[in-house]
Amino acid sequence: MSEAFAAVEIIAAKRDRHELTDPQIDWVVDAYTRGVVADEQMSALAMAILLNGMNAREISRWTDAMIRSGERMNWSAVKRITVDKHSTGGVGDKITLPLAPLVAACGGAVPQLSGRGLGHTGGTLDKLESIPGWRASLSNEEMLHVLQECGAVICAAGAGLAPADKKLYALRDVTATVEAIPLIASSIMSKKIAEGTSALVLDVKTGSGAFMSDPAKARELARVMVELGTNAGVKTRALVTAMDVPLGLTAGNALEVRETLEVLAGGGPADVVELTLILAREMLDTAGIKPLMDPADALKNGSAMDVWRSMISLQGGDPDAKLPVAKESMQITADSHGELIAMDAMKVGVAAWRLGAGRSRQGEAVQAGAGIEMHAKPGELVKKGQLIYTLYTDEPARFERAIESLEGSFRISSTGEKVDRLPLIIDRIEG
Ligand code: URA
């Protein structure tokens, strides 16, 4: 078959700041998925897009071409309204874990296709895999069964969903082209639109531990994604939220599942509970679901915990099994008295990763018990010698590099300096 375009001409057009036409975009995404456009050509095009941008029409067409590269899921057999949440990722961001069963307990159906962690941010599937027996890979029939039985399913996206993005994301990761708003927005939204949810709430993180550390850029990303979702018929809203300080008191797979269980039992750290409730209410409202009960009540009365237990069991997990604990631990204490005024999410995330909670190459195994427990957060008074972090790993040789990363990760002041942190909710964007 002769090809409609030559990749070189399309790369040159974007290099020279021209708009790509709809047929050019359709062809290049399809030809890349088929292997006709080579990795080095797509790398050059991705870099040209990063440097020269895309307008709204180009982003929308690119997203659509990535959706058309694979299958679109269909939940019409599910009686309830479907609604999902996507976070751009951060340190200690375990919110999906309590949120999906919570929204299901309030009357929604949550088909949550999630990913694994790469680099300093954790992955939802890695966290859940610390539960003995739990399975991330489900067939479409199994997904539907779990969703119909308990109202929520969290699993890996199958190979058939936006395969163009799978290939392109792996390429961007090794060519320094991840941080381009048109590419991030189209990557996330192609998967979420293909997933077939009727409503979507985006949690766009900003601050040191997020990959959009600049709030203005995070807002712009949120706006572009909301527009893409809305134009595709998905009711979409976004919250821009803080990721300058880790969320909650744990970063690491089994540690975060333990914290999730505390939240589902009606306790847990205040920031995790607050963000979970805000996102649950936003999801129910965006989808137009009349809640069966208030989300705060569903945490207090055990309804969300009941959904969690059945969701974990339906995916082969044992909700009563003891969670793995790392073999070794080390404590870090405060070296002065005063108020804890800052804690850097990126430094904590990198340390948890170096302890074995994350991976540096796709396919690498992670340690279920590795990570960091925080014993104080900004705004709290601490005494000299008080415990600030406990580090966990199965391999003690990892402590040294983790401690290096934690150097300067928190600040204690006795001079009345103001706490240096972003508000939890920075902005809200509606379609
Ligand atoms: N997550 C994605 O799925 N894609 C991106 O481009 C960035 C984060």
Side-chain angles (χ1 to χ4, degrees), residues 86-89 165 169 172 177-180 183-189 191 211:
H86 178 83
S87 160
T88 56
D165 178 63
Y169 190 73
R172 286 166 56 214
T177 51
V178 170
E179 292 87 352
L183 296 177
I184 299 171
S186 56
S187 165
I188 292 174
M189 293 308 291
K191 287 174 286 203
F211 70 91

Side-chain angles (χ1 to χ4, degrees), residues 7 11 32 35-47 171 175:
I11 299 164
Y32 178 59
V36 169
V37 168
D39 275 350
E40 57 270 26
Q41 293 176 310
M42 193 46 121
S43 307
L45 182 57
M47 187 57 85
L171 188 71
T175 55

Side-chain angles (χ1 to χ4, degrees), residues 15 19 57 87 99 110 119 143 234 271 280 282 305 307 336 385:
R15 179 199 63 197
E19 280 182 36
R57 178 196 55 79
S87 160
L99 183 64
V110 187
M143 256 184 249
V234 180
D271 57 349
E282 201 71 54
M305 179 69 97
V307 176
S336 59

Side-chain angles (χ1 to χ4, degrees), residues 85 92-106 110 112 124 127-128 131 151-152 154 247-248 250 255-269 271-281 283 295-296 298-300 302-309 311-312:
K85 181 237 33 166
D93 184 2
K94 71 277 297 169
I95 302 292
T96 291
L97 274 54
L99 183 64
L102 175 59
V103 171
C106 294
V110 187
Q112 171 91 57
T124 298
K127 295 172 196 179
L128 285 166
I131 301 171
I154 304 175
L247 257 175
T250 57
L255 291 170
E256 294 192 46
V257 172
R258 195 191 73 198
E259 196 165 274
T260 297
L261 293 171
E262 288 167 17
V263 172
L264 290 168
D271 57 349
V272 177
V273 175
E274 187 183 348
L275 188 55
T276 304
L277 289 175
I278 288 171
L279 286 166
R281 294 192 179 114
M283 284 168 74
L299 289 182
K300 290 267 175 298
S303 316
M305 179 69 97
D306 289 345
V307 176
W308 163 270
R309 291 179 62 82
M311 179 181 84
I312 296 301

